[in-house]
Amino acid sequence: MAGQNPNLAALSAAGVSVWLDDLSRERLKSGNLQELIDTKSVVGVTTNPSIFQKAFAEGDAYDGQIAELAERGADVDATVRTVTTDDVRTACDVLAPQWEASDGVDGRVSIEVDPRLADETDKTIAQAVELWKIVDRPNLFIKIPATKAGLPAITAALAEGISVNVTLIFSVERHRLVMDAYLAGLEKAREAGHDLSKIHSVASFFVSRVDTEIDKRLEKIGSAEALALRGKAGVANARLAYAAYQEVFEGGDRFEALKGDGARVQRPLWASTGVKNPEYADTLYVTELVAANTVNTMPEKTIDAVADHGVVKGDTVSGTAAAAQEVFDKLAAVGIDLPDVFVVLEQEGVDKFVESWTELLEETQKQLGSAGK
């Protein structure tokens, strides 16, 4: 039996939990997920609307179940909910040993609330509770976007004892509000008598998309100073987020007051770590973001790249905040409107997921139609 890949094992040893940013029934049935756990240090799975849309579109793994649901007269929303929650529940069971071994920190599978609710707090809360009940596994994460309407929903879900993966975070400023929402949720959960040690959360910070958007703007500016900054913003942004995390969770008063009741830190999670620009090293958003108490959720292609040639040199984040801030000062100096970048990225992020979800519903509607004939 092959052991763990040494590069990924080194990454795990440095405090980075390796999660797979993908899920499909094919992966579950073929034993591929189990193989990644056994050989590539994978200890978690994240999903999103785009991932499910792709899984449904490829192959025929879902046809039988969709035909059965069509016969029962299930509508399209119910069908998608049943099929996706079944996959997530199965993945939770596959990862149960990692959940046990890590005292609940890893072995997690994330499912996202309907992206069309990104601006509706109450509906997001209701769906978070519903998904939590349907999947019915303690190692589940409900993904809620860090939109303005998402923040109070995050607090409310945590207050119910639901573990949350906060997604679509692009700016450090928003990350601070997410940490506030987490602490507020823990405070309410404590008041309600929940066991805080059972409530977990990660803050998913998107990395490559920041470079994609800022690089485009730097190329438009076109000066030597501007061009020299390409590919630097994503990593710098994540490093500043980690410094903010340390400030809040390593000695911050509000967290200290909850720690005695078993509260856990909200770990930073590096998402969108597949490199979009072929000029950059394909392991850039992994090897440059190594720090204790973090998660890196990667597409399989990125996991394979790290396994093949990733150089893990231990912590590459702690103590880098000043240098990272310098990158942002330079970006502002050459004329990059950073607040605008983050507004655009959040809107695009929500739109992309809504688009994928709509495609998923349309595709499923077609399959229900043909199955029902």
Side-chain angles (χ1 to χ4, degrees), residues 235-255:
V235 167
N237 200 31
R239 286 172 170 176
L240 288 171
Y242 191 76
Y245 151 82
Q246 286 181 301
E247 209 177 290
V248 172
F249 292 105
E250 294 176 8
D253 294 347
R254 201 168 163 198
F255 181 66

Side-chain angles (χ1 to χ4, degrees), residues 82-94:
T82 301
V83 174
T84 55
T85 52
D86 280 1
D87 275 2
V88 167
R89 189 182 307 108
T90 305
C92 281
D93 292 343
V94 172

